[in-house]
Amino acid sequence: MNFQKLIAILTKSEDRLFDDIVGYDHIKKLFRMVLQSDSTTHILLTGPPASAKTMFLTSLLQHLKRPYFVDGGNTTKAGMIEYLFENQPRYLLVDEIDKLPPKHQTLLLNLMETGIVSETKYGKTREAKLKTSVFAACNNAIKLTSPLLSRFFVVEFAPYAYHQFYEITLRLLVNQEKIAPNDC
Ligand SMILES: Nc1ncnc2c1ncn2[C@@H]1O[C@H](COP(=O)(O)OP(=O)(O)OP(=O)(O)O)[C@@H](O)[C@H]1O
Ligand SMILES: [Mg+2]
């Protein structure tokens, strides 16, 4: 076994959760606490563009077991229902949730309220009881129906202050672009 493989095994995947995200320590802590719990919790991240909301969801997608990621602007209700029935994900990650059409929002509300997903097609009804936490993101929660919004613990990201923007840019240049810190 080579050295890098050994390091990968010794470093648990969850320990690297959110590693690429600069700052937001309180939100990282919140997610870590929620992930330790056996119950379902629903979290909505809202805030300005480029504030790392999608980064949180993609990091969760990479490190959690049984996740399902959907983009609110680019998903069909039939596809979503099929996946929920077939795979019964433990975590549903919904980016751009404000772009989900109203029918999808109702499906989501039922899932969050009762855990139940049901579908009636050609006169036949199928139903499943899921244990799924929903983690979602959007710029503005105003387009969500109030019942759906009320089911979420809402976390608002504030716009970056100059020093935060500077720190993030520096980290990205050094870590991703491999530019020496002194050259920045
Ligand atoms: N805190 C941060 N740590 C590391 N990179 C960051 C951070 N904030 C922003 N970025 C950079 O900004 C980019 C955009 O982030 P992301 O797509 O997660 O933003 P967003 O909040 O989802 O924006 P939008 O509202 O437009 O969807 C990232 O790919 C990363 O390069
Ligand atoms: Mg985004």
Side-chain angles (χ1 to χ4, degrees), residues 151-177:
R151 289 279 148 188
F152 279 110
F153 180 80
V154 181
V155 179
E156 286 182 31
F157 288 23
Y160 290 131
Y162 180 77
H163 74 274
Q164 292 169 310
F165 175 79
Y166 181 83
E167 190 194 339
I168 293 164
T169 309
L170 201 66
R171 261 266 297 259
L172 290 176
L173 287 172
V174 172
N175 291 352
Q176 287 183 13
E177 306 300 325

Side-chain angles (χ1 to χ4, degrees), residues 113-126:
E113 267 180 355
T114 59
I116 293 172
V117 184
S118 69
E119 178 190 45
T120 303
K121 212 158 77 176
Y122 309 122
K124 285 186 182 159
T125 300
R126 59 175 174 164

